[in-house]
Amino acid sequence: VTLFSRRNNTVELTRAGELFREDGHKILQLSNHLKRQMEDIQKLKQGKLCIGITSLFGRFYFPKIYQVFRKLYPGIEILVSEDTSELEALILRGKIEFAILPLPLLSNQLVYEPIVEEETLLAVPPGHPINQHMHTPPMGEFNCVDIGQFQDDDFIMLYPGENPHPLNSGLSGGRFEPHIVFETRNTDTVCGLVSAGMGVGFIPETISRAQSEQCRAVFYRIREMKANRKMVAAYYHAESLSHSALEFIRIAHDIFG
């Protein structure tokens, strides 16, 4: 097959030569892509991955991701920081590659991609008057309430000192200023105080479904109030992420996205 033709002291590609050039370019691209894939596999054989997670994410989501990651990449050691208040700073200082955090982020130097979103429920004491007016919902479901019905109640706030809770944005704009009597980072403490009749509180839906029988709080969805909690993978920039970090985030997307 002739690939070149000579005319007037010049060399030109024949039709076969043009096809060879086009397909050859595609073959080189595929070869480079395959080479990068093989390099990725080689780099994922061993090493360390330093990440940050909140305690709540660590309790309810991390085990599922880690189980899959560990099976695929047994040679990668994952080092986890759970100091929630310092995670963004640890990213900026290069101590961890990324962290899984609730929105909004405090630093505008970080970018993020969503991992999981869940609704926040209102936990109400078992003896609260509103329970008397509610029918029993189907198994696994929750009744709905208006947040304004609780403007005279005491509130037990979760995540003190962390990023703003949905309660803040939901009650802003003149609905009412909640009377906060207690703040804690522990969801079990919230459920315990609510069960004891000390006030109402906010609990992520995943956690509400995992509570033990000792938690006697009644959970409600909140009508006309944006109370979803978004968890994201936050990092400095995508180019800073290692192959193992990208794989961890990919697996998290596959499981919860």
Side-chain angles (χ1 to χ4, degrees):
V1 177
T2 302
L3 301 179
F4 304 95
S5 64
R6 294 181 178 275
R7 293 180 184 178
N8 301 325
N9 296 324
T10 62
V11 178
E12 297 179 348
L13 288 172
T14 64
R15 176 56 180 162
E18 291 177 350
L19 292 174
F20 182 87
R21 182 181 63 180
E22 293 173 2
D23 288 348
H25 182 65
K26 294 177 182 177
I27 291 172
L28 287 175
Q29 285 184 319
L30 289 173
S31 176
N32 290 334
H33 178 68
L34 180 61
K35 181 180 178 181
R36 286 195 298 270
Q37 287 184 317
M38 295 301 102
E39 290 176 347
D40 287 350
I41 292 174
Q42 180 65 32
K43 291 177 181 178
L44 286 169
K45 283 186 177 180
Q46 59 183 2
K48 291 183 179 181
L49 173 61
C50 299
I51 67 173
I53 58 175
T54 64
S55 58
L56 295 182
F57 190 91
R59 179 181 175 187
F60 293 99
Y61 296 102
F62 178 76
K64 293 181 180 179
I65 304 172
Y66 181 74
Q67 182 180 28
V68 175
F69 187 92
R70 182 69 176 173
K71 183 176 181 180
L72 292 174
Y73 310 110
I76 302 295
E77 179 185 3
I78 297 183
L79 304 178
V80 177
S81 174
E82 295 186 78
D83 187 0
T84 303
S85 62
E86 291 292 322
L87 293 182
E88 291 189 37
L90 290 176
I91 298 173
L92 295 174
R93 295 203 302 266
K95 299 298 184 180
I96 57 178
E97 290 197 47
F98 69 90
I100 299 182
L101 297 162
L103 289 180
L105 302 179
L106 299 178
S107 173
N108 58 11
Q109 299 181 50
L110 300 177
V111 295
Y112 64 84
E113 52 188 288
I115 296 296
V116 65
E117 180 176 352
E118 67 173 347
E119 187 174 0
T120 300
L121 304 180
L122 182 67
V124 175
H128 197 285
I130 198 170
N131 298 329
Q132 301 174 9
H133 305 289
M134 295 291 179
H135 65 275
T136 302
M139 182 67 67
E141 297 296 326
F142 303 96
N143 286 321
C144 294
V145 293
D146 295 314
I147 193 63
Q149 296 173 274
F150 301 90
Q151 60 181 343
D152 296 325
D153 286 88
D154 293 332
F155 280 79
I156 299 161
M157 183 66 73
L158 190 60
Y159 323 123
E162 298 185 17
N163 297 330
H165 186 274
L167 173 65
N168 294 342
S169 58
L171 298 183
S172 62
R175 290 195 180 187
F176 66 88
E177 187 70 25
H179 181 227
I180 300 173
V181 296
F182 194 83
E183 294 182 314
T184 178
R185 297 180 186 274
N186 193 308
T187 56
D188 291 333
T189 301
V190 174
C191 284
L193 292 174
V194 171
S195 297
M198 302 303 295
V200 299
F202 289 83
I203 295 288
E205 181 175 349
T206 299
I207 298 175
S208 71
R209 296 183 183 277
Q211 289 299 315
S212 66
E213 295 181 356
Q214 295 179 346
C215 179
R216 298 182 295 110
V218 181
F219 297 97
Y220 292 98
R221 298 194 188 279
I222 308 164
R223 195 179 289 119
E224 296 182 358
M225 177 175 166
K226 188 177 182 181
N228 286 3
R229 177 179 169 87
K230 296 181 180 179
M231 303 294 291
V232 301
Y235 43 84
Y236 187 59
H237 53 75
E239 291 76 14
S240 67
L241 296 178
S242 65
H243 299 289
S244 56
L246 292 171
E247 272 299 281
F248 187 97
I249 294 174
R250 180 192 66 79
I251 293 169
H253 275 302
D254 290 345
I255 295 176
F256 300 113

